[in-house]
Amino acid sequence: MSYKNYRLKTFEKASLCRNFENEVFKRVNEKIINFPVYLSAGQEYVPSSIAQIVKDKKQKPLIFGQHRGHSIYLSFGGNIIELIDELLGKKTGCTRGMGGSLSINSNKINMFGHEGLMGSNACMGVGACFSSAKPTIVFLGDASVEEDYVLASLSWAAKKELPILFVVEDNNYAVLTKKKDRRDWKAKDVAKAFKLESYDIDDQPKNIFSVLKKNLFKKPIFINVNTKRLFWHSGAGVDEEVKGDRLTVEKKFLGKKAEKIHRNIKKKIENLWKQRLEK
Amino acid sequence: METTLREVIKQITFKHLKKFKGQVFGQNLTGVGWVAGTLPKLYEKDGVIELPMADVANGGMVTGAALVGRRPFYIIRYQGYNWLNCIFIVNYACKSKEIWNKPAPMFIRGLSSEGGLGPVSTSSHISIFYKMPGIKIYSPMTKNEYTKTYKKFMKSDDVFYVSEHRKSYENKIELKNSLKKNLDIILMPISVTRFEAEKAKNYLNKNGYKVGIIHLYELKPFVLKKKWISMIKSSKYGVLMTDNDYVDGIIRTLAHKINEQTNKKVYVLGLKDKSAGYTRETSNFPPSALEIITKIKKIKAKKRL
């Protein structure tokens, strides 16, 4: 696939995620969804870009996400209706109404649910990868990568040369505490010290494409991707205005074709939500 | 020569690795004594996996192995390390089947000592697992019990915690219940205290007491059999339970369950509510036969008053 085509396909995935999250935002404000919700709007280019690469490589990895996982689920092809139902607490949801927003799961896309202890998925992902020898992706945040057990997992993945990708969606915040107030080290440097191939990049699809195209699932790789969270840590609100939202930038760059895709997806998602709410 | 429990555990582990392509995870497995001689001398190519010195992460990594169906054995060489290792097992592996319909069956072998090892590793620590949903807990002290527990595991998709005791590895005999109507008291010992409880029972029965015994090794789910309920109800003083975990742990929970079903008093003897040192004077030992005998004599004396 050409890079141009990759970029457009990635946009399509990211647009799906953004439109979905905007609908969830509305339902939280309308108090239709009453439990804690972790919106991934603004960060969707990370899983979307990776999911498109994985799709092109015809791989079906084991996926271990965390609490902010809607975009991971959607990017990798999780069923949209089942996610809506999950957020509405229905038994037809992707986690039979047990998962809420934080603990979503999908057997169809090999996505394992998260229990809520930040970074635990790094340990489980490494263990699952080791024991199955299947390609595996672990999505972390810049806060969870500080957990000691995450570091131990990185070390063991390197030692065993596992076919695993660690992705840090680095939005700079642990709830609202900035990285500079929490540590004086870069995740990439720590990963490198464990002898992992490691990168620190922003969420331009070009960057993600370029670091993963060669060695994905051939050796353990660690990427820290700087991104921007549009909404609150939990719930539907805005902490501050975000400049340089990746989806907006890409839409502008890709032009009318992207605008049309975005409009159509928006309509589709709105209709799906409407239908599920009426059921 | 009759085989020991140690030999049976080693045989089961060998079969699990070779026949069922299972895996065994743990720290210092191949280095020091092959887990008190309970592990066959095999290596990573055979499925015996040396984990790093990262207990919290290791519990999660074994959970990952369980999620992809390798039915791992996980050896925790001192139960004191349960505190570090239990986190992802009880919060993920044990809940995974119920929440995500993804079972994570694993066979945890937690080795317990019997005093003299300081504040953490001196005793059993199964109570921290006990309170969580989705786990099955056993403490087999005999060859038949261990074999039955393993067979159950292979038919199940649950997390099994198997509480082992170094002192039991040389054991060759089966411990049998001894029950009849109208006993003075019934002992219900757990884990390694079963050996001392047997001694206490034999001594007391030779000295004019009528003492029965129910050996408990299936701890969760805990089922009080109808016959046991009937015998406990007919006893004069009820039940005395003994354990090698702290007295305010699992034993009180079980005592309460027994009390609810029999309406008889259930006494408990476990580790004392104090921190343990390393010497005979400062450690915290499980109840001895003498302590059990003394307790029963006191119960009887108090009742007479």
Side-chain angles (χ1 to χ4, degrees), chain A residues 66 118-122 139-152 154 166-170 179 182-183 185-188 190-191 194 222-224:
Chain A
Q66 283 195 156
M118 295 301 105
S120 66
N121 54 327
F139 286 93
L140 301 159
D142 56 280
S144 60
V145 79
E146 293 168 16
E147 296 282 5
D148 48 5
Y149 42 84
V150 172
L151 303 179
L154 297 180
F166 296 99
V167 182
V168 177
E169 292 187 24
D170 183 347
K179 253 187 327 188
R182 308 191 318 257
R183 57 172 146 111
W185 48 269
K186 285 188 172 182
K188 175 206 158 190
V190 171
F194 287 129
F222 179 96
I223 57 171
N224 188 88

Side-chain angles (χ1 to χ4, degrees), chain A residues 63-75:
Chain A
I63 301 165
F64 289 83
Q66 283 195 156
H67 58 299
R68 208 174 301 288
H70 301 173
S71 288
I72 299 169
Y73 174 97
L74 293 168
S75 296

Side-chain angles (χ1 to χ4, degrees), chain A residues 103 105 107 111 113 131 160, chain B residues 23 44 70 92 99-100 102:
Chain A
S103 300
N105 158 85
N107 291 340
M111 182 174 175
S131 285
K160 298 295 173 187
Chain B
Q23 290 177 314
E44 184 159 325
R70 295 300 299 269
Y92 198 106
I99 299 178
W100 301 293
K102 281 180 176 154

Side-chain angles (χ1 to χ4, degrees), chain B residues 2-8 140-145 165-175 194-195:
Chain B
E2 214 179 341
T3 55
T4 59
L5 175 60
R6 172 184 284 113
E7 201 54 40
V8 167
M141 292 292 114
T142 74
K143 293 175 282 181
N144 283 351
E145 289 169 2
H165 282 264
R166 291 167 197 275
K167 206 173 176 180
S168 72
Y169 288 153
E170 280 298 302
N171 181 36
K172 295 176 181 172
I173 58 161
E174 294 301 320
L175 298 165
R194 292 166 60 189
F195 297 106

